């Protein structure tokens, strides 16, 4: 993702890459020359990244998946002093899909729901963070437990990410779907969020906030 973000910045007239960080580098020095920090690292590094950004007063866009509840709580704590956009999927299309899923789940309370997701064989976590995000949207719309959502996960080839929400009754089926053709879509969404978050007050935001 780092290279995809760098490519997106290079193609933009209004953005400049201040630098990249790897564990062992001087993160404080990088932040001293930055307006926004975009984090697509690993959960193991996120605590240090967010703490440094909060200390420096730098807005954050975090697209790291697989964060623990404690790490999400740390994001919320940091958001008391800096603006933070955190989302498990930075795709603009997925943000719209989540909104549609909420509407459909609420409008069709008697329909059974399944969340299907397909990713490349290298992806370890299942269901994907995006699938869980969509399942949580369904549960919130219906006032039910997210743990009751049924997921189907498949790992094959080099699929960047396909998600389907299938709502069905005895007489009809409604399918809402989103497919990714390249991982650049996540970098592009993160850069949209970076532009937006730079002018925001402290708070924890999602891609919904960015679009709306």
């Amino acid at each position: 993702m780092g290279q995809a973000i760098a490519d997106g910045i290079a193609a933009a007239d209004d953005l400049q890459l201040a630098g990249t960080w790897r564990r062992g580098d001087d993160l404080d020095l990088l932040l001293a020359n930055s307006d926004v920090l975009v984090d697509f690292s690993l959960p193991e590094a996120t605590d240090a990244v967010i703490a440094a950004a909060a200390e420096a007063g730098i807005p954050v866009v975090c697209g790291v998946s697989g964060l623990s509840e404690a790490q999400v709580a740390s994001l919320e704590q940091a958001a008391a002093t800096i603006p933070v956009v955190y989302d498990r999927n930075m795709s603009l299309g997925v943000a719209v899909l989540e909104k549609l899923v909420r509407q459909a789940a609420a409008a069709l309370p008697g329909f059974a729901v399944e969340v299907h997701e397909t990713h490349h064989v290298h992806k370890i976590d299942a269901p994907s963070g995006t699938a869980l995000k969509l399942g949580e949207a369904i549960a919130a719309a219906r006032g039910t437990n997210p743990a009751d959502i049924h997921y189907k996960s498949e790992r094959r080839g080099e699929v960047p990410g396909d998600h389907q929400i299938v709502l069905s009754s005895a007489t009809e089926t409604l399918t809402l779907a989103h497919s990714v053709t390249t991982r650049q879509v996540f970098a592009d969404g993160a850069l949209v969020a970076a532009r937006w978050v730079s002018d925001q007050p402290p708070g924890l935001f999602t891609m919904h906030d960015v679009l709306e």
Side-chain angles (χ1 to χ4, degrees):
M1 285 304 300
Q3 187 58 55
I5 292 170
D7 291 343
I9 292 173
D13 295 331
D14 60 334
L15 299 174
Q16 182 176 352
L17 182 64
T20 58
W21 176 80
R22 295 176 178 82
R23 279 180 287 185
D25 295 345
D26 190 335
L27 181 56
D28 292 333
L29 179 61
L30 174 61
L31 291 174
N33 298 295
S34 304
D35 296 314
V36 177
L37 184 149
V38 179
D39 180 21
F40 272 93
S41 59
L42 297 171
E44 293 80 6
T46 295
D47 288 338
V49 169
I50 299 303
E55 179 68 23
I58 300 296
V60 172
V61 174
C62 179
V64 180
S65 61
L67 296 184
S68 66
E69 292 183 4
Q71 288 176 308
V72 174
S74 294
L75 282 176
E76 294 172 347
Q77 183 177 358
T81 58
I82 59 172
V84 177
V85 175
Y86 167 61
D87 212 304
R88 286 170 287 188
N89 191 311
M90 291 288 170
S91 160
L92 304 182
V94 165
V96 174
L97 175 62
E98 182 183 354
K99 184 175 183 179
L100 296 174
V101 165
R102 287 179 181 270
Q103 294 175 339
L108 304 171
F111 281 50
V113 184
E114 288 187 344
V115 180
H116 300 181
E117 58 98 352
T118 302
H119 283 84
H120 51 82
V121 294
H122 314 290
K123 187 171 181 61
I124 298 174
D125 57 312
S128 67
T130 301
L132 293 172
K133 168 188 171 77
L134 295 170
E136 289 165 5
I138 294 165
R142 290 184 167 181
T144 57
N145 191 330
D148 295 333
I149 303 297
H150 183 63
Y151 299 92
K152 288 186 177 180
S153 299
E154 183 179 356
R155 300 289 175 262
R156 59 180 170 82
E158 297 297 331
V159 179
D162 293 344
H163 294 85
Q164 290 186 337
I165 311 301
V166 181
L167 300 97
S168 58
S169 71
T171 55
E172 59 182 323
T173 298
L174 171 65
T175 301
L176 301 172
H178 178 270
S179 294
V180 171
T181 56
T182 168
R183 289 177 60 80
Q184 186 65 43
V185 69
F186 306 123
D188 292 345
L191 295 181
V192 170
R195 292 182 178 94
W196 180 86
V197 78
S198 63
D199 295 325
Q200 300 306 312
L204 185 62
F205 306 100
T206 69
M207 290 301 290
H208 273 295
D209 300 301
V210 174
L211 290 182
E212 294 177 1

